[in-house]
Amino acid sequence: MDIVEVKNISKSYGSILAVSKLSFSVKEGEIFGLLGPNGAGKTTTISILSTLIKPDEGDAFILSHSVVKEQGKVKKLIGVVPQDIALYPTLTVYENLSFFTDLYGVKNKKSAIEKVLDIVQLKERAKSRVDTLSTGMKRRLNIAVGLLPEPKVLILDEPTVGVDAQTRANILESIKELNKDSGITVIYTSHYMDEVEYLCNRIAIIDFGKLKALGTLQELKAIVSEKDVIELSLEEEVNNSTKEKILKIEGVKSVEVAQKSIKIVVNGTNVVLPELIKVISVTTKIRSISIKEPDLETVFLALTGRALRE
């Protein structure tokens, strides 16, 4: 069953087209990933899903309720965890949660707060002021707020931004366990490939507001199953002229230049590599060459012609 349906939504800010005719669906009980670089349209998309803004065109539905025409009903079905920490710093952890239970109209206030504190492992800090918490703890409390109304769909917008590796791992594990234990549907946006690879049942790759591909990790990798990735470490950075020459080599699908390294998606390494070495050696020396099997980064590079971090 599709619990979320996005149908041909578009949204512009002045002359900037943030989302363009975007369509996808999310199955009940899955963790669905929206993967794309900053500015790809991820936050605009989930802002539409959470009824914060209206699309210029199209519509989206949560359990068949329109985000355009039935905002009140949709709000009762979703929990939203924004990218920015949306907490009151001078209130305690418990006071923040108490405030949001009142805001959401949550019944059984005390048990609801205790339940989410247990999920995010902050029971021992319930009486601590938020401004005394670490960034990771604030992120976890942010998630707790989104869980208070026991939503059918939990929407998380890059919830691990600014946290250390250990906290990041804990947050990801908590989301995975929550989905497994409760069956809650999760929409998760990120520009970290390892996060969506670890968490998500299906992944939508978006770039410049458009859907580039959608499927399981295995299905996405199959898009580039016949391709290889050649990575070269160089003594000097190559110029745009050299990059253009590389792109003209038969079998080269995309090129990413990052300082003194190049990552190239190709069809037929044995054919491409000799010509590639010839072109690059004119301008700089090659320190090392490695050939890798395709991964999610390869998929993104092949589909968009640029790296996710750009």
Side-chain angles (χ1 to χ4, degrees):
M1 172 185 171
D2 291 334
I3 193 169
V4 178
E5 295 177 279
V6 176
K7 296 185 176 181
N8 208 35
I9 60 172
S10 296
K11 181 66 181 179
S12 296
Y13 299 98
S15 61
I16 300 173
L17 183 61
V19 176
S20 177
K21 300 185 183 302
L22 186 64
S23 297
F24 61 84
S25 61
V26 180
K27 300 180 186 301
E28 186 175 12
E30 77 173 333
I31 302 179
F32 184 88
L34 282 175
L35 177 67
N38 293 329
K42 303 186 302 295
T43 297
T44 297
T45 299
I46 65 170
S47 294
I48 291 170
L49 288 175
S50 55
T51 75
L52 292 176
I53 59 174
K54 289 185 178 181
D56 298 329
E57 298 177 11
D59 203 346
F61 302 86
I62 312 289
L63 278 172
S64 300
H65 295 295
S66 165
V67 301
V68 175
K69 299 176 182 178
E70 300 176 278
Q71 294 184 353
K73 291 181 179 179
V74 168
K75 287 177 181 178
K76 292 179 180 179
L77 297 170
I78 62 173
V80 181
V81 181
Q83 183 173 335
D84 294 327
I85 293 173
L87 303 168
Y88 292 94
T90 59
L91 297 182
T92 67
V93 168
Y94 194 95
E95 288 168 343
N96 266 275
L97 293 173
S98 179
F99 169 80
F100 284 106
T101 55
D102 291 339
L103 192 65
Y104 290 140
V106 175
K107 297 178 181 179
N108 301 318
K109 182 174 177 177
K110 184 178 179 181
S111 62
I113 292 174
E114 289 178 352
K115 181 178 179 180
V116 297
L117 282 174
D118 187 52
I119 290 171
V120 300
Q121 300 177 7
L122 284 175
K123 272 190 174 181
E124 294 182 0
R125 300 302 299 268
K127 295 181 180 180
S128 300
R129 279 178 37 148
V130 167
D131 55 11
T132 67
L133 303 180
S134 67
T135 301
M137 289 179 180
K138 291 175 184 175
R139 287 284 175 197
R140 281 151 53 196
L141 182 55
N142 226 29
I143 293 172
V145 171
L147 290 171
L148 279 171
E150 296 189 328
K152 298 293 185 183
V153 180
L154 180 65
I155 301 172
L156 299 112
D157 189 12
E158 307 209 28
T160 62
V161 170
V163 302
D164 59 70
Q166 183 177 354
T167 301
R168 182 169 170 246
N170 289 338
I171 290 172
L172 296 178
E173 190 59 33
S174 295
I175 294 167
K176 199 163 190 175
E177 287 181 5
L178 177 67
N179 170 258
K180 181 181 177 182
D181 294 341
S182 69
I184 190 172
T185 303
V186 177
I187 298 176
Y188 189 94
T189 81
S190 182
H191 61 272
Y192 296 124
M193 297 199 188
D194 58 332
E195 289 189 357
V196 296
E197 285 186 355
Y198 175 73
L199 278 179
C200 301
N201 304 107
R202 291 189 305 141
I203 303 160
I205 295 176
I206 61 174
D207 193 34
F208 293 115
K210 295 182 178 180
L211 181 67
K212 294 296 184 179
L214 190 155
T216 64
L217 180 58
Q218 290 72 27
E219 288 168 345
L220 293 176
K221 286 183 177 180
I223 295 172
V224 291
S225 61
E226 296 180 358
K227 297 178 176 65
D228 289 322
V229 182
I230 302 175
E231 293 186 3
L232 300 97
S233 174
L234 312 172
E235 283 197 357
E236 297 179 10
E237 185 174 349
V238 299
N239 54 34
N240 287 332
S241 175
T242 302
K243 181 179 178 179
E244 291 301 318
K245 289 177 182 178
I246 294 171
L247 283 167
K248 290 179 181 178
I249 298 173
E250 185 175 354
V252 171
K253 298 302 176 183
S254 60
V255 178
E256 175 206 348
V257 177
Q259 296 183 339
K260 296 179 182 180
S261 66
I262 304 179
K263 184 177 291 185
I264 306 163
V265 179
V266 304
N267 272 346
T269 300
N270 293 339
V271 176
V272 173
L273 191 55
E275 188 65 23
L276 182 62
I277 293 171
K278 185 189 299 184
V279 170
I280 294 175
S281 296
V282 172
T283 57
T284 185
K285 289 184 179 181
I286 299 171
R287 290 181 172 176
S288 65
I289 299 173
S290 62
I291 300 170
K292 297 183 177 180
E293 291 184 358
D295 55 14
L296 195 53
E297 187 172 2
T298 312
V299 176
F300 191 87
L301 185 58
L303 291 172
T304 68
R306 66 193 187 118
L308 189 60
R309 61 178 174 270
E310 291 179 351

